[in-house]
Amino acid sequence: LDEKMIIESPTPKMLAEVRGGIAWITFNAPEKRNAMSLDMWQGLGEILEKLEIESSVRVLILKGAGDAAFVSGADISEFEEKRSNQQDRDAYEAAFDDALEKLANFSRPAVAMIQGFCIGGGLAIALNTDIRIASENSKFGIPAAKLGLGYGFQAIKTLESIVGPASAKDILFTARFLEESEALRIGLINFVVSTEALERTVLDYADRIAANAPLTIRAVKATVGEVVKDPGQESPTYIDEMVNSC
């Protein structure tokens, strides 16, 4: 048996361990379909920091607890308390941005193992991994337009770099949910397998990556990251103002 290393987490709603060169992060709030609370965003950032310096890690897999959801979005029940004024909103956005930036820049390949709902902030997490493997009952969407929420420059840029401008507009304009077959067709996800085969497929895929040359893979990941960056382009001030006014 591979020796298992538990990675300390600041919240029981985020779990992490390393075994056999593969790191696992679990979103562990199944009673809320793994909806992301502020402490979960902060926990994700802290865990990624610890895993980044753990030299034994060759691949990272992210998954949701239970079978209903990968992550069903943000935990809106805490918005009144945690996002009631601009200062609180800024702190929340900072934790959100920090976690996604650490995930996007994680130096080893990251694979999202998706079962059930992958919505809003959950889809943002999945889009900042490298490979997305989903089960047949998965659903994807970004409900910002139904909720009157601004959707930031970097989040839209990441989505657009994966599915292209036409599909990005469709997803964001309609705020509809996509079945896994459509998500596969537009390139939002890489593979679809049966629910029963999901974990085995993801593990086999991770083992295949782990068996390859790590320096080559790091160089490829870093290079692709630079290719899609569009150097020098940052969110113009007027975009930030439009997002904030939402």
Side-chain angles (χ1 to χ4, degrees):
L1 287 172
D2 291 317
E3 193 175 333
K4 184 163 76 173
M5 177 197 308
I6 303 296
I7 303 296
E8 194 177 332
S9 169
T11 168
K13 291 187 285 183
M14 293 296 303
L15 305 176
E17 63 181 48
V18 180
R19 59 180 191 269
I22 296 171
W24 294 79
I25 292 178
T26 304
F27 304 102
N28 187 41
E31 71 288 349
K32 290 197 171 185
R33 290 181 172 173
N34 304 320
M36 293 291 286
S37 53
L38 176 58
D39 62 339
M40 290 172 76
W41 287 115
Q42 292 166 335
L44 178 57
E46 284 188 36
I47 288 166
L48 287 165
E49 247 179 57
K50 291 174 181 174
L51 290 175
E52 183 61 56
I53 59 173
E54 177 50 55
S55 60
S56 66
V57 173
R58 304 286 286 268
V59 185
L60 168 63
I61 298 171
L62 297 93
K63 70 185 186 79
D67 55 14
F70 174 72
V71 169
S72 61
D75 183 357
I76 58 174
S77 68
E78 67 172 18
F79 275 20
E80 197 172 332
E81 179 191 350
K82 301 280 172 66
R83 291 179 65 159
S84 59
N85 57 58
Q86 191 61 50
Q87 189 175 353
D88 287 349
R89 280 196 294 276
D90 288 345
Y92 188 99
E93 293 298 326
F96 174 87
D97 290 343
D98 177 66
L100 292 185
E101 185 181 355
K102 285 189 169 79
L103 180 57
N105 294 318
F106 192 72
S107 60
R108 272 84 23 116
V111 179
M113 184 177 109
I114 301 164
Q115 184 173 354
F117 291 100
C118 181
I119 307 297
L123 185 52
I125 291 167
L127 290 172
N128 280 282
T129 65
D130 302 298
I131 302 291
R132 289 160 290 282
I133 303 176
S135 66
E136 289 170 333
N137 65 341
S138 301
K139 289 183 170 56
F140 304 83
I142 299 170
K146 284 183 180 171
L147 304 170
L149 297 172
Y151 210 68
F153 180 89
Q154 187 57 50
I156 289 180
K157 195 173 188 310
T158 301
L159 175 66
E160 192 275 338
S161 74
I162 291 168
V163 301
S167 290
K169 288 175 187 174
D170 168 46
I171 289 166
L172 291 162
F173 286 175
T174 65
R176 67 189 178 89
F177 286 3
L178 284 66
E179 303 287 337
E180 80 288 340
S181 56
E182 185 178 5
L184 180 67
R185 179 176 61 77
I186 66 172
L188 191 67
I189 56 179
N190 298 81
F191 306 104
V192 173
V193 296
S194 69
T195 303
E196 298 76 29
L198 179 62
E199 185 159 347
R200 183 74 258 161
T201 301
V202 171
L203 200 50
D204 287 347
Y205 191 89
D207 284 338
R208 175 174 286 203
I209 294 172
N212 289 335
L215 295 183
T216 303
I217 289 169
R218 281 197 192 207
V220 169
K221 178 164 180 172
T223 304
V224 173
E226 289 297 329
V227 168
V228 300
K229 253 185 198 172
D230 197 3
Q233 188 184 12
E234 293 181 6
S235 180
T237 305
Y238 84 96
I239 296 287
D240 293 338
E241 288 167 358
M242 289 176 76
V243 168
N244 283 335
S245 72
C246 292

